[in-house]
Amino acid sequence: MPINDEARVGFYICHCGHNIANMVDVTSVAEYAAKLPNVVLSRDYKYMCSDPGQEMILKDAEVFKLNRIVVASCSPLLHENTFRNATAKAGINQFYFQMVNIRENASWVHEDKELATVKAKDLVRAAISRVVFHKALEKKKVPVNPDVLIVGGGISGISAALNIANAGKKVYLVEKDPTIGGYMAKFDKTFPTLDCAACILTPKMSAVLKHPGITLMSYSEVAAVEGYVGNYQVKVTRKPRYIIEEKCVGCFACIDACIFKEAKFSDEFNEGLSKRKPVYIPFPQATPQVVLIDDKTCIHFKTGKCPQSCAKACDRNAFDFDQKPVTQELEVGTILLCTGFQPFDAARAPYYGYGRYPNVYTSLEVERLVNASGPTGGNVVLRDKTRPKSIGIIHCVGSRDEKTNKWCSRVCCMYSLKLAHLLKEHTDAEIYNFYIDMRTPGKGYEEFYDKLLNEGVHFIRGRVAEVSDWAINEHEKGKLVIRAEDTLIGMVRRIPVDMVVLAVGIEPGKDAQDIRRVFNISCSNEGFFLERHPKLAPVETFTDGIFIAGACQGPKDIPDSVAQAGAAAAQALALIDSGFVELEPNTAFINEELCCGCQVCINLCPYHAITFDETKSVSHINEAICKGCGTCVAACGSGAITQNLFEDQQILSEIYGLLVE
Amino acid sequence: MAQDKPKLKLAVYWGAACGGCCVSVLDVHEKLLDILAHADLVFWPIALDIKYQDVEQMPDQSIDITLFNGAVRNSENEHMAHVLRRKSRILVAYGSCAYLGGIPGLANFYTKEEVFRRVYEESESLDNPQKIHPLPENEVTEGHLHIPSFYNDVLTLAQVVDVDYFIPGCPPQSERLVEVFMDIVNGSDLPLKGSVIGASSKVQCDECKRKKSDKKGITRFYRPWEVTDDGMTCLNEQGILCMGPATRAGCGVRCVEGNAPCRGCYGPLDGIGDAGTRILSAIASMLDGKEPEEINRAIDSIVDPAGTFYRFSLPGSKLRRKVS
Ligand SMILES: Cc1cc2nc3c(=O)[nH]c(=O)nc-3n(C[C@H](O)[C@H](O)[C@H](O)COP(=O)(O)OP(=O)(O)OC[C@H]3O[C@@H](n4cnc5c(N)ncnc54)[C@H](O)[C@@H]3O)c2cc1C
Ligand code: SF4
Ligand code: SF4
Ligand code: SF4
Ligand code: SF4
């Protein structure tokens, strides 16, 4: 076994109550460890992480002149810091500590106590062989830039921006659309309280615009991010609106004056249910209140032969047809991603007839139809302008389905109830809700469902098989027939209706993968941004200083999005207020004497920590950026790269310890 | 003047070698006269008729420097390694075979039986209908025959005896030999025991004049005759497998200067246990391709990967041999 004469190891094995002691013979491991080279002291104890456990390390270190500590207990994720701190308190460099996980790696995963004990001994031997070659290291401190970048101006991004700016910090809010507001801006009412979405959202939107601490960059996207926690450099590209934002006052004179007398182009904000002109504003309360020109439909951009009546109508000279995308650089310390979701594309469930039958609508279209400022002014009429007398709302479209998305989108049951209520109110039609399970967990949600049950809405429990216009009797003629198994009465039913509403689910945004790459974070299997820990770190990511909130992290309603935004804001503020971050010293460094300048390492680094120094002809690692992934270490043919805590000698001794008794 | 000092005693010996190392000693041309002005050659099978018994009778430590080239692959090589160790003050593993196992070391990808079967049964130029294999001892009409026994493993010199210095190369660059020798003659401070001498502490790419960038992006490998080398760009960046990034410099990047890729004969740098895996991971790191299939396709275009990456270093590596 590898020996280092100077090392005096103190070894501790924890019972973790019964968690470890039941499956690993802790006394026998302690006795075994006591006989290993370099070990001066070996003990077992009920709870090493408790105060007395840590105190014991302190006292022993003094009495036995220990200079290395090994604790065999639970996962380093849980208590490595606890024991590192105890080691430091005992006057020993905290990196002279090594932790052995004999709970997740031995006691919890085995059923044979004898063998589990043998395995624990092997793991302990490996750790002791390794720790004797540890080096004293220091954690580096780097200051945190107090400015914050928030990407996405839906309700999550808006809430977070206001939270942080109200705390006196500078916020850059980058929104890819011409206006902030996200999906919430499209709704008329919100469940379960049925309060008017605009009434609660628009004041917040204008608060963002007016806040001296917030720089709103609408119609912009983040092109690149470099740097590390506390010190990010961000490139934001502002798309051309062809309007000088500062000059436009939102009088809309240009829109009236546009050479197109009639609006001709599909209006995205109204889900295509109405038309807009090439010069337009998404909706009257859009924030900022600035028009824009869509260069794909504008005559000037298509032919160069428009008299530009819009510009002429503008008495503030706000038009600039020569605008180009502009890239602006920002420096921030923390980043919040609030990029939201995209609704499930109903065309992917062809059996429900979306796109085939004009009277099949998505829930978002209906959100616009019931909206007083929507395409019909809140008048719910079908495409042929008639009022529906019967409406079927199909839940779980695209959700909870092996063929499309497996997950529950969490908001569809509730918004379907909301839409049932609103449609009833607007049309007095017969409303049928087809649901698989009614999921209404949340404050006041079940009560909302109860209320709907008393409003005369029909509820049919069962997955809808198809929507068709195939009538088998007079009664069904000219209608859409919803065929579903009613599992409560145990028979297949055919319900003819005038209008079908598809409660489309929530999916990761369509550019979630691109965003993930730009910001160097991960996505979970479904494609939502991955949180650091599902329970204990739901708004943090694996990249320090980057937080996530709202529907980009997973399906979520507005209250939860706002709560998460608050949590993410608090995390960012905590980081800012601590003033600096401590960096794990498990970073890699390059020995310039050995580096041959081959540059193999440079593009391998997933964090772009390595640069080439042309004058010295050697590569260089920025320790503050390096995350200690070890990729470059393995790649360097010269062996010029060493990683702290993972030096060859440490790893090889550990392997030796593991394999050789 | 050096002449006044007693002359040094010099020996050169070959184990499992091709003879190239001995020739490289001759390759110093007229410099050999400088060497001989300072040293007497007391043993050199390729050039002098001195028998093993003569060496065995020399007093211990009486040879100043022995250059041992060739690997240790049979009992004769091992015996002479022990004898020369005893007789020499400084024992140098000379050349890649003595240092790391070299080309003969590739036999460690086979067992002794496989080697014998190939050589004594299957070889195209063979006439051995009785499939006779050599035996270490044999009775023939002329009497009792004794030949060295063939080992299953090819060993490096240091795996058999204590070695003072290592001079890499297949063969070593002759100029380096003269430099080292003159250092010894002039009594300069000797390097630390166990060092690699006569070579650089950096890899080939450091001395290579070809243009290198951070864009390696190899999508497939070519044998040198399959592409037209532009003569300027790093060979690996052109897809020609070059061992430069993990091979110690010291030869003057001779191969690449001659527009042939480095084959790795100078071995790895200090502290790198396994030359093969080191160059393998360096090369793998240059591959382009995100999908496993793309990467597999690139890797499949490497001819004889094990033989390529361990061409000179198998016995001296962590891998040491193929476990049969
Ligand atoms: C039909 C329907 C009805 C609903 N009704 C209700 C309800 O009544 N009550 C309720 O509580 N919840 C409801 N919800 C859920 C609600 O929509 C979400 O909880 C909420 O929108 C989540 O807010 P967010 O800010 O996280 O995401 P979003 O609203 O999706 O906002 C994300 C913002 O980020 C921007 N963005 C995206 N990518 C980028 C990028 N790369 N760069 C810059 N900006 C970007 C987007 O343009 C958008 O402005 C409903 C959902 C649907 C589908
Ligand atoms: S340039 Fe012409 S088409 Fe374009 S927005 Fe102005 S008036 Fe309309
Ligand atoms: S791989 Fe190694 S030798 Fe090559 S540039 Fe990077 S550090 Fe230098
Ligand atoms: S260890 Fe990983 S993160 Fe650090 S410089 Fe090397 S490749 Fe980059
Ligand atoms: S890999 Fe070969 S060709 Fe490229 S720089 Fe290194 S030695 Fe030169």
Side-chain angles (χ1 to χ4, degrees):
Chain A
M1 193 161 150
I3 294 182
N4 169 5
D5 293 335
E6 268 125 57
R8 296 176 61 81
V9 179
F11 172 75
Y12 302 87
I13 181 165
C14 180
H15 298 209
C16 193
H18 293 306
N19 277 311
I20 293 172
N22 265 5
M23 196 40 71
V24 169
D25 182 348
V26 287
T27 26
S28 128
V29 177
E31 280 162 18
Y32 173 78
K35 297 194 205 93
L36 292 174
N38 291 313
V39 175
V40 180
L41 168 97
S42 172
R43 296 186 194 278
D44 65 284
Y45 189 70
K46 221 164 172 62
Y47 289 109
M48 277 310 294
C49 60
S50 65
D51 282 345
Q54 299 182 53
E55 283 295 319
M56 189 161 69
I57 298 179
L58 251 67
K59 281 205 204 86
D60 288 346
E62 201 187 322
V63 178
F64 295 92
K65 310 230 170 326
L66 303 178
N67 57 19
R68 298 286 191 286
I69 304 293
V70 174
V71 177
S73 55
C74 51
S75 153
L77 211 57
L78 209 62
H79 276 309
E80 184 165 60
N81 266 334
T82 314
F83 298 126
R84 275 186 180 174
N85 288 339
T87 306
K89 265 202 208 132
I92 305 171
N93 184 286
Q94 56 173 314
F95 295 98
Y96 280 147
F97 164 76
Q98 178 71 10
M99 188 157 177
V100 196
N101 184 353
I102 53 161
R103 197 179 70 179
E104 281 86 335
N105 290 342
S107 70
W108 275 359
V109 289
H110 293 296
E111 290 175 345
D112 180 322
K113 186 162 183 177
E114 211 169 304
L115 290 176
T117 305
V118 171
K119 182 170 178 185
K121 285 179 185 169
D122 290 348
L123 293 170
V124 163
R125 206 171 50 234
I128 293 172
S129 317
R130 160 191 245 283
V131 79
V132 301
F133 295 112
H134 275 201
K135 299 211 170 111
L137 298 169
E138 294 305 328
K139 287 191 174 176
K140 283 216 172 59
K141 286 185 176 182
V142 290
V144 174
N145 182 327
D147 298 353
V148 183
L149 168 71
I150 298 181
V151 186
I155 185 58
S156 310
I158 291 174
S159 311
L162 290 171
N163 279 333
I164 294 172
N166 287 340
K169 310 294 181 225
K170 169 119 205 66
V171 174
Y172 297 96
L173 177 58
V174 173
E175 165 58 54
K176 75 167 172 22
D177 284 349
T179 175
I180 54 172
Y183 281 102
M184 187 176 169
K186 301 193 181 210
F187 309 152
D188 184 41
K189 301 268 163 55
T190 55
F191 65 73
T193 43
L194 292 178
D195 38 1
C196 145
C199 314
I200 54 177
L201 179 64
T202 44
K204 287 204 175 285
M205 288 163 59
S206 60
V208 164
L209 191 68
K210 290 201 201 94
H211 206 295
I214 302 178
T215 304
L216 172 58
M217 305 168 85
S218 61
Y219 214 35
S220 304
E221 271 173 71
V222 174
V225 176
E226 277 187 30
Y228 51 92
V229 52
N231 300 273
Y232 286 108
Q233 292 89 44
V234 183
K235 285 203 179 81
V236 179
T237 306
R238 314 198 69 168
K239 296 177 265 192
R241 289 178 104 98
Y242 307 107
I243 306 292
I244 301 159
E245 229 177 89
E246 297 69 34
K247 290 195 180 167
C248 176
V249 286
C251 69
F252 311 152
C254 52
I255 303 181
D256 290 338
C258 175
I259 192 107
F260 284 97
K261 287 290 156 253
E262 295 294 324
K264 263 188 77 177
F265 308 101
S266 174
D267 181 342
E268 300 87 351
F269 189 78
N270 277 334
E271 299 290 315
L273 293 174
S274 67
K275 305 277 187 233
R276 60 158 173 77
K277 294 184 180 180
V279 57
Y280 72 106
I281 186 147
F283 62 104
Q285 300 87 358
T287 307
Q289 278 269 306
V290 176
V291 299
L292 72 155
I293 294 179
D294 168 17
D295 53 18
K296 289 190 199 59
T297 51
C298 166
I299 302 273
H300 168 76
F301 287 99
K302 286 179 71 178
T303 66
K305 289 194 192 116
C306 183
Q308 301 182 350
S309 44
C310 56
K312 289 185 191 125
C314 179
D315 57 10
R316 303 190 46 97
N317 264 332
F319 280 72
D320 176 2
F321 286 93
D322 297 326
Q323 264 183 7
K324 296 272 167 308
V326 192
T327 298
Q328 197 175 333
E329 294 211 17
L330 309 176
E331 302 221 329
V332 298
T334 43
I335 299 174
L336 269 60
L337 297 178
C338 306
T339 52
F341 67 99
Q342 76 178 6
F344 173 80
D345 174 8
R348 282 174 59 203
Y351 29 90
Y352 294 153
Y354 183 76
R356 199 149 29 103
Y357 306 124
N359 293 339
V360 177
Y361 289 80
T362 68
S363 47
L364 270 165
E365 289 167 341
V366 176
E367 288 284 354
R368 295 309 297 150
L369 278 183
V370 295
N371 197 306
S373 59
T376 54
N379 186 20
V380 178
V381 286
L382 296 169
R383 286 183 222 263
D384 63 4
K385 307 285 182 247
T386 59
R387 185 180 286 273
K389 293 194 192 63
S390 52
I391 302 174
I393 302 178
I394 303 178
H395 291 217
C396 296
V397 175
S399 309
R400 306 182 64 201
D401 187 345
E402 290 286 335
K403 292 195 290 291
T404 51
N405 297 326
K406 284 195 202 164
W407 59 87
C408 164
S409 294
R410 280 188 64 181
V411 298
C412 320
C413 280
M414 281 304 291
Y415 80 57
S416 296
L417 294 176
K418 171 185 77 176
L419 291 176
H421 168 86
L422 294 175
L423 287 168
K424 186 100 196 151
E425 199 175 74
H426 284 67
T427 63
D428 203 29
E430 285 300 320
I431 313 248
Y432 303 87
N433 274 54
F434 296 85
Y435 66 100
I436 309 175
D437 298 294
M438 189 61 76
R439 298 198 166 170
T440 57
K443 205 168 174 179
Y445 289 15
E446 186 68 13
E447 293 86 329
F448 187 68
Y449 178 29
D450 280 344
K451 176 172 136 74
L452 262 288
L453 284 172
N454 294 323
E455 284 182 5
V457 173
H458 309 283
F459 288 96
I460 297 169
R461 185 171 184 275
R463 192 188 279 278
V464 173
E466 68 165 1
V467 174
S468 75
D469 59 358
W470 181 50
I472 55 171
N473 55 38
E474 257 330 280
H475 178 60
E476 289 180 358
K477 256 221 177 96
K479 306 235 173 201
L480 292 168
V481 181
I482 299 176
R483 214 157 52 81
E485 185 192 0
D486 187 330
T487 55
L488 293 182
I489 56 174
M491 61 178 282
V492 174
R493 293 179 68 177
R494 297 173 60 90
I495 312 274
V497 293
D498 296 328
M499 179 189 203
V500 170
V501 181
L502 303 182
V504 289
I506 285 189
E507 277 187 351
K510 77 168 173 307
D511 56 351
Q513 291 296 334
D514 299 330
I515 302 174
R516 171 182 78 79
R517 275 185 214 108
V518 169
F519 292 92
N520 227 321
I521 60 166
S522 313
C523 285
S524 52
N525 286 343
E526 322 80 72
F528 292 107
F529 297 152
L530 184 66
E531 60 284 345
R532 190 174 210 134
H533 190 282
K535 294 160 213 160
L536 304 179
V539 298
E540 289 162 63
T541 65
F542 285 97
T543 303
D544 296 334
I546 298 191
F547 305 98
I548 48 179
C552 62
Q553 182 261 354
K556 225 170 257 85
D557 58 16
I558 296 165
D560 284 0
S561 297
V562 172
Q564 257 201 349
Q571 293 279 359
L573 288 170
L575 198 61
I576 296 166
D577 277 358
S578 68
F580 60 84
V581 281
E582 278 194 335
L583 302 177
E584 264 294 288
N586 63 348
T587 49
F589 59 91
I590 294 178
N591 179 350
E592 293 187 357
E593 301 276 295
L594 285 180
C595 172
C596 70
C598 68
Q599 301 166 56
V600 167
C601 52
I602 303 223
N603 282 323
L604 295 175
C605 177
Y607 306 96
H608 311 295
I610 316 180
T611 47
F612 189 63
D613 181 338
E614 295 282 351
T615 45
K616 288 201 235 165
S617 208
V618 293
S619 292
H620 175 78
I621 294 176
N622 184 337
E623 274 180 74
I625 306 179
C626 170
K627 293 259 178 235
C629 74
T631 308
C632 62
V633 184
C636 176
S638 299
I641 314 183
T642 309
Q643 189 185 345
N644 286 328
L645 285 173
F646 294 93
E647 295 186 18
D648 284 359
Q649 193 185 29
Q650 295 162 351
I651 297 175
L652 291 172
S653 314
E654 187 169 8
I655 297 173
Y656 184 93
L658 195 62
L659 300 179
V660 185
E661 265 189 61
Chain B
M1 270 301 279
Q3 261 90 339
D4 304 333
K5 282 198 246 162
K7 276 190 165 185
L8 293 175
K9 288 201 172 68
L10 187 60
V12 183
Y13 179 71
W14 53 4
C18 67
C21 280
C22 285
V23 174
S24 84
V25 177
L26 287 172
D27 248 2
V28 303
H29 302 298
E30 66 282 358
K31 288 267 169 47
L32 186 60
L33 300 177
D34 292 348
I35 294 182
L36 292 179
H38 299 287
D40 285 330
L41 272 159
V42 296
F43 178 51
W44 192 4
I46 198 174
L48 308 172
D49 185 18
I50 293 166
K51 304 284 189 244
Y52 288 177
Q53 292 90 316
D54 303 333
V55 183
E56 278 157 14
Q57 266 146 41
M58 292 178 188
D60 285 0
Q61 301 270 302
S62 65
I63 306 175
D64 291 292
I65 308 168
T66 292
L67 304 180
F68 189 113
N69 68 75
V72 175
R73 95 102 59 249
N74 64 26
S75 54
E76 177 189 2
N77 303 151
E78 180 166 10
H79 170 71
M80 284 312 289
H82 286 294
V83 170
L84 287 166
R85 172 67 280 183
R86 230 178 16 256
K87 304 297 167 194
S88 317
R89 271 199 315 119
I90 299 175
L91 176 65
V92 180
Y94 184 80
S96 302
C97 301
Y99 171 32
L100 295 167
I103 299 283
L106 286 172
N108 280 2
F109 282 123
Y110 304 90
T111 60
K112 171 181 166 178
E113 285 67 39
E114 286 166 326
V115 172
F116 275 17
R117 199 180 321 122
R118 174 80 188 119
V119 174
Y120 297 106
E121 297 180 27
E122 296 164 5
S123 173
E124 291 73 6
S125 57
L126 193 72
D127 182 19
N128 182 10
Q130 287 160 280
K131 301 195 189 316
I132 295 168
H133 286 198
L135 294 171
E137 284 178 52
N138 205 3
E139 290 306 329
V140 288
T141 36
E142 291 82 359
H144 189 76
L145 251 188
H146 209 124
I147 59 167
S149 56
F150 190 92
Y151 293 167
N152 191 50
D153 285 11
V154 177
L155 302 166
T156 69
L157 184 60
Q159 283 166 351
V160 174
V161 292
D162 189 34
V163 175
D164 296 295
Y165 299 116
F166 301 88
I167 299 185
C170 180
Q173 211 47 50
S174 309
E175 294 91 319
R176 296 290 102 72
L177 171 62
V178 180
E179 283 161 22
V180 172
F181 180 78
M182 292 318 271
D183 277 352
I184 297 174
V185 170
N186 297 331
S188 312
D189 278 346
L190 289 180
L192 232 59
K193 188 176 148 125
S195 336
V196 172
I197 57 176
S200 163
S201 59
K202 289 198 175 190
V203 294
Q204 298 285 346
C205 308
D206 187 54
E207 294 179 2
C208 178
K209 292 195 218 38
R210 287 189 176 237
K211 227 171 47 256
K212 27 202 175 276
S213 71
D214 59 10
K215 290 175 193 57
K216 305 296 181 194
I218 304 176
T219 50
R220 68 154 285 189
F221 291 97
Y222 300 93
R223 316 209 66 184
W225 51 266
E226 290 178 296
V227 277
T228 315
D229 167 22
D230 67 10
M232 284 145 53
T233 313
C234 163
L235 291 167
N236 273 319
E237 287 173 32
Q238 300 186 65
I240 303 168
L241 198 49
C242 177
M243 301 292 139
T247 303
R248 189 190 287 273
C251 61
V253 217
R254 281 227 155 173
C255 291
V256 184
E257 289 278 290
N259 297 325
C262 166
R263 296 154 68 87
C265 73
Y266 265 58
L269 293 187
D270 291 335
I272 288 174
D274 194 289
T277 44
R278 182 56 68 161
I279 183 67
L280 176 64
S281 58
I283 296 289
S285 307
M286 298 181 199
L287 295 180
D288 198 13
K290 303 227 160 6
E291 302 308 318
E293 303 79 55
E294 291 175 78
I295 295 167
N296 286 345
R297 225 177 301 131
I299 290 176
D300 286 343
S301 63
I302 301 177
V303 180
D304 181 19
T308 302
F309 296 124
Y310 286 97
R311 185 178 277 132
F312 295 95
S313 67
L314 184 59
S317 69
K318 284 238 148 60
L319 201 60
R320 235 174 29 81
R321 65 160 300 115
K322 180 181 165 199
V323 198
S324 37

